[in-house]
């Protein structure tokens, strides 16, 4: 049992890699073979926040400004995101989803359901809730 406890962080890392590989494969099957999970998270944030500034997005995705700019630029080039200067302050960039971006989010919503079904296969609802509670406790230990 002690060995299992000592390797739990490694197990979490392996799960992260496996879920990322799962999503990468599914995205490639849908024509998005060069997208990273960070791109999807940006598009998700735009589905929750229909208009967001680059500064707000940078904070929400926990990346630095230059990384966020590179990620957003790729999404803009793919036609998934619109980037416009704020009418109030030209230095601020406002991001919105395009129709193609909304369609992407619909497609990834079904992929997310498939991922979650695979992730929690064989778990009862109570086990799922307990697991989430444990993860939150671990996260708080590092905050």
């Amino acid at each position: 049992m002690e060995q299992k406890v000592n390797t739990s962080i490694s197990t979490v890392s392996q799960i992260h890699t496996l879920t990322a590989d799962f999503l990468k494969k599914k995205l490639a099957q849908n024509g998005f073979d060069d997208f990273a999970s960070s791109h999807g998270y940006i598009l998700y944030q735009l589905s929750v926040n229909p208009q967001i500034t680059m500064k707000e997005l940078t904070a929400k995705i926990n990346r630095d400004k230059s990384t966020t700019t590179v990620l957003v630029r790729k999404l803009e080039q793919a036609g998934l995101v619109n980037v416009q200067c704020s009418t109030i302050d030209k230095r601020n960039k406002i991001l919105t989803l395009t129709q193609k971006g909304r369609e992407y989010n619909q497609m990834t919503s079904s992929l997310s359901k498939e991922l979650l079904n695979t992730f929690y296969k064989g778990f009862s609802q109570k086990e799922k809730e307990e697991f989430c509670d444990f993860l939150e406790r671990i996260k708080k230990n590092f905050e």
Side-chain angles (χ1 to χ4, degrees), residues 55-73:
K55 183 176 182 178
E56 292 167 330
L57 180 64
T58 297
K60 288 189 180 293
I61 68 169
N62 197 30
R63 298 283 192 267
D64 61 41
K65 185 179 175 182
S66 62
T67 300
T68 303
T69 299
V70 169
L71 292 167
V72 167
R73 190 172 295 135

Side-chain angles (χ1 to χ4, degrees), residues 40 43-44 47 97 100-109:
L43 294 169
Y44 167 76
S47 71
L97 280 175
K100 187 176 177 183
R102 286 188 287 281
E103 290 168 4
Y104 175 92
N105 278 346
Q106 289 173 342
M107 180 265 300
T108 57
S109 176

